[in-house]
Amino acid sequence: MMNKTQQIHESKPLTSNQLTTLRSIPSNDRCAECPTFPADWASVTYGIVLCLDCAGIHRGLGVHLSFVRSLTMDDWSEKELATMMSGGNK
């Protein structure tokens, strides 16, 4: 099992295949909180994708309630990706 430091070093951007797979999960083509399309952010805590505005609201809640990541700009650990793959907006 990796410690947090190892997980940070193992994080990397999502590949185009991973992003396509994540977006193919039902309802992940739009924001979970509002009907905005496209949704380029995610709450790893809840396994949902979000639009920029709703991601800002989730960030304001604090990372202890909703850990927000960009689908295209941030690095992702395998654990975070697995959480998103098992989640979805429905």
Side-chain angles (χ1 to χ4, degrees):
M1 185 170 188
M2 290 189 283
N3 64 35
K4 287 188 181 199
T5 302
Q6 290 170 319
Q7 287 177 356
I8 291 169
H9 294 295
E10 294 294 322
S11 296
K12 55 190 173 216
L14 295 178
T15 66
S16 60
N17 286 341
Q18 289 170 325
L19 188 54
T20 299
T21 302
L22 182 60
R23 289 182 192 263
S24 71
I25 296 170
S27 297
N28 276 5
D29 62 337
R30 62 191 67 244
C31 181
E33 301 285 354
C34 73
T36 300
F37 174 85
D40 292 324
W41 294 83
S43 170
V44 179
T45 307
Y46 298 106
I48 58 174
V49 294
L50 302 163
C51 69
L52 179 61
D53 289 337
C54 292
I57 293 168
H58 274 253
R59 279 191 187 260
L61 297 173
V63 295
H64 62 289
L65 293 178
S66 186
F67 184 63
V68 177
R69 286 248 180 242
S70 168
L71 294 177
T72 58
M73 295 184 288
D74 286 325
D75 289 345
W76 288 72
S77 70
E78 290 297 321
K79 183 179 179 182
E80 291 167 341
L81 181 57
T83 299
M84 290 300 298
M85 293 298 190
S86 66
N89 286 359
K90 279 205 167 192

